[in-house]
Amino acid sequence: MPHILVLVKQVPDTNAKIVIGSDRVDLSAVKMVMSPYDEFAVETALRHKEASGGEVTALTVGGPAADKILKDAKAIGVDNIVRVDNAETLDSNGLQTVLFQAVQALGAEVVYCGKSAADTGAGSTGPGLAERLGWGSVSNIIGADFTSGVSVMAPSHGGQVKLSVPVPAVISCDKGNFKVRKPNVKGIMQAKRAKVDVHSFEAPAPSVVVVNHTLPPAKPAGKTYEGGDAAAEVAKLLREEANII
Amino acid sequence: MTETIVIAELSNNAVHPSTAELVSAAMKLGDSPTLIVPCTDASVANSAVGMGAASIIAAKAEAFANYDAKGWASAIDAVAPQGIIVTGSSPQSKDVAARLAARRSLSVVQDAVAVDGTTVTSPLYSGKAMQTVSINGNVVVSVRSNIFPAASGGAEGTSVVDTTGDVATSVQEFMARASERLDVAEANIIISGGRGMGSPENFTHLESIADTIGAAVGASRAAVDTWEDIPHTMQVGQTGKTVNPNLYIAVGISGAIQHLAGMRSSKYIVAINKDADAPIFQHADYGIVATWEEALPVLQTTLANMMA
Ligand SMILES: Cc1cc2nc3c(=O)[nH]c(=O)nc-3n(C[C@H](O)[C@H](O)[C@H](O)COP(=O)(O)OP(=O)(O)OC[C@H]3O[C@@H](n4cnc5c(N)ncnc54)[C@H](O)[C@@H]3O)c2cc1C
Ligand SMILES: Nc1ncnc2c1ncn2[C@@H]1O[C@H](COP(=O)(O)O)[C@@H](O)[C@H]1O
């Protein structure tokens, strides 16, 4: 009976406007949600359990505010919810070191996560954690099949391949070609009562430290033309002004 | 100063020209980059001569025949000296970057768009903000393409080192064959269609322009979700691919924030849309307020003449 772990991260709603206060992003007025790809990771983890038995644990590394997304995961159907209490900013080495210890402590056979978090956009955590565990990994899967072992659909050179994935492994999930389930009333009630299991682990000192946040440089206003014939003019500008064509 | 190591980007059995940009980024982070070319046939590394690396190592391993993150990282790690490692930022390269960093207990900074001595800048929140970090000691940095100038010169010969990778996964079956078309994640020019194209058949107009100028064809999510014939591999945006081409042509795309998230950092943006108030025009260097039915034939003819 496999113990299936799924990583979830709390991030600003992707529709939120991002503002900078002095030299850091100011998230005080922003709604926080589960990172969108993590929803696919949770769904895939639940499907894995449905096919093989076992249990699913959702885990986040963050402060107490992140309990909310754990409860969201609980409402959808995960069995256990765990928070590694770490409010301070970790670099990727720190985060992965903490996750490595958590996986060792909890004893998972497979870990699902999002392809990239909506804040960092990095895509480092899945492959990085796998490397530390000495496990295989597949990134950016768009589907999975559990009829015999674990096989996944992953992108490859503009096409797709079906890969068999020996466990233990870390699997990062892209937007899948399937729908994710929504919580039902019973699930929401259970999630309200659910207790978050809180752990803490040591992290190394960061070697990457944030200096500042800035808004992206505003683009100078472009040129706008009316009517389809202007396409000829634009094509010329692409050669003469932009030096592209 | 710190040693730097660059992992070559590959495409069609050759070192991709964007590798020369990685070399110039590496030179801003440290000294004399060693370029490592993952390959099964060492002659591939010859195409890296002239890209500015101080030395070129063809890292030859069976593991490089197919992509497996664990296999690639272990085979590269075995030949790469200690130092700051620079990779490209395709999904596969970011995967390898993360693995290499973890293997050496280092941190990784993905998608660098600026590098200045010991600071690195990369986008946050899909480009809605930029983050600058300082780095202390060795790290792994993946670098966006089309931002850094290409380095030139450097080593004139290559050396070959045999290595082995510890492969963890195996291909069961090729599901969707790679299309003949260029992948949006690798293209220098992309022409994308949205719901405004009206039907998937009309994407042939985009394809013929793409063929004329060597571009890839992309799509908005609305196009992918509405039409089965437009695969998700073509989708650009927050839940699709993040692209960073020299030129992005958006046709019949409104310019929703989630679409912008995937393409706003393109060097030049051209928008063709019949609605003058479409948000995409606020991000376009050249906007054409017209239907695609009017604009695309003119664009096609003009470009064909220019390329002739
Ligand atoms: C969580 C989340 C993630 C998302 N991720 C993505 C993503 O990755 N990528 C993405 O693209 N979207 C994404 N979306 C969807 C996004 O919000 C928009 O719905 C989508 O981008 C709209 O696509 P569109 O511009 O093609 O369609 P529309 O918004 O319908 O725009 C069509 C445009 O075509 C123009 N038009 C119509 N007819 C013509 C004509 N004949 N000639 C010229 N112009 C014409 C119209 O004026 C209009 O501006 C996401 C949304 C959510 C909530
Ligand atoms: N603090 C965190 N807590 C739990 N999971 C995380 C955390 N950070 C990243 N992850 C997981 O790793 C994925 C990729 O994150 P990133 O490497 O930052 O792009 C996310 O989608 C999550 O599944």
Side-chain angles (χ1 to χ4, degrees):
Chain A
M1 290 281 164
H3 183 197
I4 300 159
L5 197 65
V6 57
L7 306 181
V8 292
K9 185 179 190 189
Q10 195 181 36
V11 299
D13 188 325
T14 54
N15 284 313
K17 185 168 161 52
I18 296 296
V19 294
I20 311 273
S22 71
D23 61 355
R24 288 287 192 285
V25 167
D26 176 4
L27 298 177
S28 56
V30 169
K31 184 178 161 214
M32 301 295 279
V33 298
M34 184 187 296
S35 189
Y37 297 120
D38 297 358
E39 295 183 12
F40 291 96
V42 172
E43 176 67 31
T44 310
L46 292 173
R47 289 181 184 203
H48 189 162
K49 174 191 159 178
E50 280 157 6
S52 67
E55 55 184 320
V56 178
T57 299
L59 181 146
T60 195
V61 179
D67 283 352
K68 180 182 170 290
I69 58 158
L70 290 174
K71 300 240 168 174
D72 292 346
K74 178 75 188 174
I76 300 167
V78 306
D79 301 293
N80 319 300
I81 48 181
V82 175
R83 181 166 59 83
V84 177
D85 192 40
N86 243 309
E88 86 257 47
T89 13
L90 298 167
D91 62 3
S92 71
N93 187 36
L95 175 71
Q96 292 167 23
T97 307
V98 162
L99 286 171
F100 169 79
Q101 295 170 80
V103 173
Q104 302 261 299
L106 298 169
E109 273 116 278
V110 56
V111 177
Y112 291 96
C113 66
K115 110 172 167 175
S116 59
D119 49 1
T120 66
S124 303
T125 308
L129 175 61
E131 186 66 40
R132 285 161 206 265
L133 290 162
W135 294 5
S137 63
V138 184
S139 295
N140 312 339
I141 69 157
I142 54 170
D145 176 35
F146 304 105
T147 40
S148 76
V150 180
S151 41
V152 298
M153 256 64 75
S156 165
H157 304 295
Q160 273 168 35
V161 290
K162 188 170 184 182
L163 295 167
S164 60
V165 188
V167 291
V170 181
I171 297 173
S172 90
C173 302
D174 197 343
K175 177 187 188 299
N177 51 3
F178 52 81
K179 288 237 179 324
V180 300
R181 68 197 72 183
K182 297 289 173 213
N184 56 29
V185 177
K186 184 161 159 260
I188 294 169
M189 294 311 289
Q190 279 180 346
K192 277 208 177 112
R193 288 193 299 272
K195 206 178 141 302
V196 177
D197 187 10
V198 180
H199 290 253
S200 96
F201 299 102
E202 292 282 314
S207 59
V208 169
V209 177
V210 176
V211 177
N212 64 25
H213 293 148
T214 52
L215 289 176
K219 263 192 131 163
K223 299 176 184 165
T224 306
Y225 303 86
E226 300 277 335
D229 288 341
E233 174 68 15
V234 168
K236 281 200 197 77
L237 288 171
L238 287 174
R239 168 160 282 180
E240 286 155 18
E241 198 172 82
N243 290 317
I244 292 173
I245 304 290
Chain B
M1 260 185 101
T2 321
E3 274 218 49
T4 59
I5 301 99
V6 174
I7 315 301
E9 286 286 294
L10 300 165
S11 160
N12 293 329
N13 269 323
V15 174
H16 193 274
S18 64
T19 302
E21 300 171 15
L22 306 182
V23 172
S24 83
M27 290 188 213
K28 293 185 129 193
L29 287 164
D31 269 342
S32 47
T34 302
L35 180 65
I36 294 184
V37 183
C39 55
T40 50
D41 168 3
S43 67
V44 171
N46 297 333
S47 54
V49 170
M51 292 187 179
S55 61
I56 302 170
I57 300 176
K60 191 163 164 281
E62 270 316 304
F64 296 129
N66 279 304
Y67 181 67
D68 172 76
K70 189 165 187 255
W72 278 55
S74 51
I76 292 171
D77 182 49
V79 296
Q82 297 300 314
I84 293 178
I85 299 177
V86 175
T87 74
S89 63
S90 67
Q92 183 176 315
S93 301
K94 285 170 65 170
D95 211 39
V96 171
R99 280 260 180 186
L100 282 172
R103 214 176 159 80
R104 297 182 171 194
S105 297
L106 303 177
S107 272
V108 54
V109 182
Q110 304 276 20
D111 295 300
V113 295
V115 168
D116 185 10
T118 58
T119 67
V120 177
T121 302
S122 57
L124 266 192
Y125 311 112
S126 309
K128 287 196 236 172
M130 307 305 290
Q131 171 166 279
T132 299
V133 296
S134 69
I135 58 176
N136 178 8
N138 291 342
V139 292
V140 179
V141 180
S142 72
V143 169
R144 287 263 178 103
S145 54
N146 291 325
I147 291 173
F148 293 89
S152 60
E156 282 169 8
T158 66
S159 57
V160 183
V161 178
D162 286 302
T163 177
T164 52
D166 179 10
V167 174
T169 56
S170 58
V171 174
Q172 268 176 319
E173 171 181 0
F174 287 92
M175 300 298 289
R177 274 278 166 201
S179 75
E180 298 295 300
R181 310 209 68 87
L182 202 55
D183 188 60
V184 286
E186 289 179 8
N188 252 323
I189 304 180
I190 297 169
I191 180 163
S192 287
R195 186 162 22 214
M197 291 306 293
S199 80
E201 291 75 38
N202 290 332
F203 273 65
T204 52
H205 298 281
L206 304 177
E207 285 164 10
S208 66
I209 291 179
D211 292 341
T212 308
I213 54 177
V217 180
S220 71
R221 170 153 153 194
V224 171
D225 284 356
T226 313
W227 300 309
E228 223 165 85
D229 297 349
I230 310 293
H232 181 253
T233 48
M234 284 169 67
Q235 185 178 319
V236 172
Q238 186 186 304
T239 42
K241 289 181 177 145
T242 302
V243 298
N244 193 39
N246 266 327
L247 172 60
Y248 188 90
I249 307 177
V251 188
I253 292 179
S254 56
I257 184 84
Q258 296 90 353
H259 190 78
L260 293 169
M263 45 62 77
R264 69 197 299 161
S265 63
S266 306
K267 206 165 216 167
Y268 280 89
I269 296 172
V270 172
I272 300 174
N273 196 304
K274 68 175 184 187
D275 174 9
D277 294 326
I280 189 77
F281 285 124
Q282 285 157 31
H283 301 268
D285 299 278
Y286 307 120
I288 302 171
V289 182
T291 64
W292 63 263
E293 290 91 334
E294 295 166 319
L296 289 185
V298 179
L299 188 63
Q300 164 81 58
T301 318
T302 318
L303 290 172
N305 288 338
M306 280 166 52
M307 301 304 285

